[in-house]
Amino acid sequence: MRLSRYFLPVLKENPAEAQIVSHRLMLRAGMIKQQAAGIYSWLPLGYKVLKRIEQIVHEEQVRAGHIPLLMPTLQPADLWRESGRYDDYGQEMLRIKDRHERDMLYGPTNEEMITDIFRSYVSSYKQLPLTLYHIQWKFRDEVRPRFGVMRGREFLMKDGYNFDLTKEDALHAYNRHMVSYLRTYERMGLTAIPMRAASGPIGGDNTHEFLVLAQTGESEVFYDAKVPDLKLGDRAVDYDNRDEVAAICEEFTTLYARTDETHDEAVFNKIPEERRMVGRGIEVGQIFYFGTKYSESMGATVVTPDGNRVPVEMGSHGIGVSRLLGALIEANHDDKGIIWPEGVTPFHVGIVNLKQGDTATDAACEAIYKALQGRGLDPLYDDREDRAGAKFATMDLIGLPWRITVGPRGLANNVVELTCRRTGESEEMSATAAVERIVKIYEAH
Ligand code: P5A
């Protein structure tokens, strides 16, 4: 993309309404625009990151054997009357009437609708196990929408639902989700810690939240200092192997890690004092096992191998896709702006032309731009006539992990400059070497 033709409405001033750094930087970098409290338009740069996050979520769900579909945002109230949640959900639910005076709602979650889909088509244990998921907008009329996309009213969620014959099978699905979530967050360059939590309006008694440690997080968290060092890394996981998947979950949940909802001071105090950590975290996902809570009330049953009819065992599992942008920026920024991890960056590399209009510099930039595109990469070329300082400031603000700077002085020595956004370190090399270096960096992502 050429910056001269792109739509990147960056702001020079800090917007007064933003209280935390991720919200401020998303507004300043022209990623989002607020349209009403907790409701945002996704401008091109923000939309690009959102899509990259979605893509990673999809890939890891499919890898775990889960099947994508798409349910609507609007739902009939009658489904929720069946489960009993229409009255329970309270003011967070946005209720709407259509022209026929029928009660509708903008879905805050989809347990009822997916259970309705299941009962319409599945009736035998032979069709199990089954896990269906979608990535769809949700609406929750939060009392206090704040911190930009972190606590929105309209927000994007990946929500998945497992259907199993036995409790044991459903717990395997729960574990599979835990491991697939760990992989998802790690691919984005985030450490998200599974913590035992409370289930709230979704129900059930087995639930974990995934928290990214950050001062600005809304939850208070208590954990063993060793927990953030746990990494899945690039180990190959066989998602059908119950013992292997269960062992990974055990590895990640044995050390103490809880939110304030389930914190137990007595247990916490058994950890050596120097390892007792108290901090704050951003909840970027939550998984639930709730058994037959919805299948029983909504009549979603299957015939067992010995001919009985039983309600299907279920759980639901969510990732805060749009919230992840905020969490990623909270965890990756400095005083100049955002620092995207390579796995989610909107453009792979920025090209800065220091002397737009100079024939040789323009030609060198064009050649680099085309070479990168030819290798399947997505560069952002700043081809505007502007001061070098202003171009650098924009690149730093929007946070591309790598920058290639091209100017007449370097070109006289056949070199360009390759700069790492995170370390600030620069290296001179030929244009070809710079392209090869970038290609190599992204081969790992
Ligand atoms: C699990 C999937 C559920 O709704 N039903 C379907 C279950 N879980 S949850 O914990 O309530 O939400 C899942 C994740 O969505 C994100 N989230 C939000 N993101 C932005 N703004 C909000 N107002 C908001 N509310 C929830 C969180 O990341 C949460 O973990």
Side-chain angles (χ1 to χ4, degrees):
M1 178 56 64
R2 290 167 203 277
L3 196 41
S4 63
R5 298 185 197 166
Y6 199 45
F7 182 65
L8 184 70
V10 297
L11 305 180
K12 289 226 165 57
E13 304 298 327
N14 274 330
E17 75 262 35
Q19 298 165 30
I20 61 169
V21 68
S22 58
H23 188 195
R24 195 159 62 233
L25 288 174
M26 285 184 81
L27 291 169
R28 282 200 52 210
M31 296 176 69
I32 51 169
K33 179 182 187 309
Q34 183 173 311
Q35 307 290 175
I39 301 178
Y40 293 88
S41 286
W42 293 79
L43 303 178
L45 193 75
Y47 183 59
K48 234 164 175 273
V49 181
L50 190 68
K51 286 283 149 190
R52 299 225 39 203
I53 291 175
E54 254 190 72
Q55 184 59 29
I56 292 176
V57 172
H58 270 301
E59 285 172 15
E60 293 306 327
Q61 286 311 298
V62 169
R63 197 196 301 275
H66 306 158
I67 304 168
L69 47 50
L70 186 60
M71 291 175 269
T73 52
L74 295 185
Q75 307 187 17
D78 282 344
L79 277 181
W80 288 65
R81 292 198 173 99
E82 284 189 56
S83 72
R85 280 208 296 183
Y86 189 63
D87 293 327
D88 292 354
Y89 220 94
Q91 288 202 301
E92 267 195 20
M93 182 184 276
L94 181 64
R95 295 155 207 260
I96 305 161
K97 269 195 200 300
D98 71 9
R99 64 161 73 200
H100 305 292
E101 291 290 305
R102 274 190 288 255
D103 291 326
M104 309 284 289
L105 57 101
Y106 192 132
T109 177
N110 285 59
E111 279 80 5
E112 283 77 359
M113 188 170 278
I114 200 81
T115 306
D116 177 57
I117 292 174
F118 181 90
R119 70 181 173 186
S120 302
Y121 304 106
V122 183
S123 57
S124 162
Y125 75 94
K126 290 182 190 157
Q127 291 156 283
L128 304 180
L130 180 65
T131 295
L132 300 167
Y133 78 92
H134 70 165
I135 297 180
Q136 177 63 293
W137 295 94
K138 304 287 184 286
F139 196 94
R140 292 183 185 172
D141 206 350
E142 303 273 353
V143 195
R144 237 164 42 109
R146 57 179 185 159
F147 301 161
V149 301
M150 255 341 171
R151 181 162 295 281
R153 291 198 295 166
E154 190 187 46
F155 61 97
L156 192 59
M157 191 202 287
K158 170 264 157 185
D159 41 324
Y161 306 85
N162 67 286
F163 300 92
D164 289 278
L165 181 59
T166 65
K167 178 172 182 185
E168 200 187 19
D169 294 347
L171 289 175
H172 172 55
Y174 184 89
N175 289 344
R176 217 171 47 225
H177 278 90
M178 183 178 290
V179 176
S180 72
Y181 281 21
L182 290 170
R183 273 191 80 121
T184 304
Y185 301 125
E186 269 190 33
R187 270 187 69 185
M188 295 174 191
L190 276 181
T191 303
I193 303 170
M195 299 197 182
R196 210 160 342 135
S199 68
I202 307 294
D205 46 19
N206 204 351
T207 178
H208 281 86
E209 287 179 353
F210 291 77
L211 286 116
V212 171
L213 297 176
Q215 283 312 316
T216 47
E218 291 189 291
S219 320
E220 190 172 22
V221 296
F222 303 81
Y223 60 98
D224 187 318
K226 287 185 164 179
V227 175
D229 295 334
L230 297 170
K231 293 280 172 310
L232 203 54
D234 53 8
R235 60 182 113 163
V237 179
D238 175 0
Y239 281 105
D240 290 330
N241 184 331
R242 290 181 183 218
D243 296 341
E244 183 185 334
V245 171
I248 297 173
C249 292
E250 204 175 302
E251 180 184 331
F252 279 83
T253 55
T254 302
L255 291 169
Y256 192 92
R258 296 198 194 176
T259 65
D260 48 3
E261 290 168 337
T262 55
H263 176 58
D264 182 333
E265 199 67 26
V267 184
F268 188 57
N269 285 338
K270 289 190 186 139
I271 309 172
E273 197 173 350
E274 69 280 8
R275 278 175 30 206
R276 273 177 235 156
M277 310 300 279
V278 181
R280 304 201 70 81
I282 303 165
E283 181 205 319
V284 292
Q286 186 162 6
I287 55 178
F288 303 83
Y289 161 73
F290 45 67
T292 57
K293 171 172 168 164
Y294 300 90
S295 55
E296 230 174 281
S297 54
M298 295 183 66
T301 58
V302 285
V303 175
T304 63
D306 45 19
N308 295 321
R309 197 168 259 287
V310 295
V312 71
E313 284 277 331
M314 290 175 64
S316 72
H317 317 277
I319 292 182
V321 174
S322 49
R323 176 179 285 182
L324 271 168
L325 274 95
L328 277 158
I329 297 173
E330 289 296 324
N332 298 282
H333 68 269
D334 61 14
D335 51 9
K336 293 187 200 142
I338 304 166
I339 309 173
W340 291 115
E342 273 95 356
V344 296
T345 183
F347 294 97
H348 295 114
V349 51
I351 303 168
V352 170
N353 184 332
L354 291 179
K355 199 167 183 194
Q356 198 68 43
D358 174 68
T359 315
T361 312
D362 290 358
C365 287
E366 286 293 329
I368 294 169
Y369 181 61
K370 297 253 163 62
L372 287 163
Q373 285 183 326
R375 303 295 286 274
L377 292 169
D378 192 5
L380 179 67
Y381 171 23
D382 191 345
D383 59 342
R384 299 167 309 161
E385 282 181 26
D386 206 344
R387 291 176 305 109
K391 290 189 174 189
F392 291 150
T394 300
M395 284 293 176
D396 285 345
L397 174 64
I398 68 171
L400 309 187
W402 298 93
R403 187 184 82 206
I404 299 176
T405 310
V406 186
R409 214 178 308 155
L411 289 178
N413 298 317
N414 276 321
V415 293
V416 299
E417 195 181 59
L418 180 64
T419 307
C420 173
R421 173 70 180 85
R422 194 173 288 277
T423 63
E425 282 165 18
S426 292
E427 223 184 302
E428 287 190 335
M429 61 186 76
S430 71
T432 322
V435 170
E436 288 309 318
R437 182 77 73 82
I438 299 291
V439 169
K440 211 167 164 66
I441 288 164
Y442 284 102
E443 266 167 10
H445 292 276

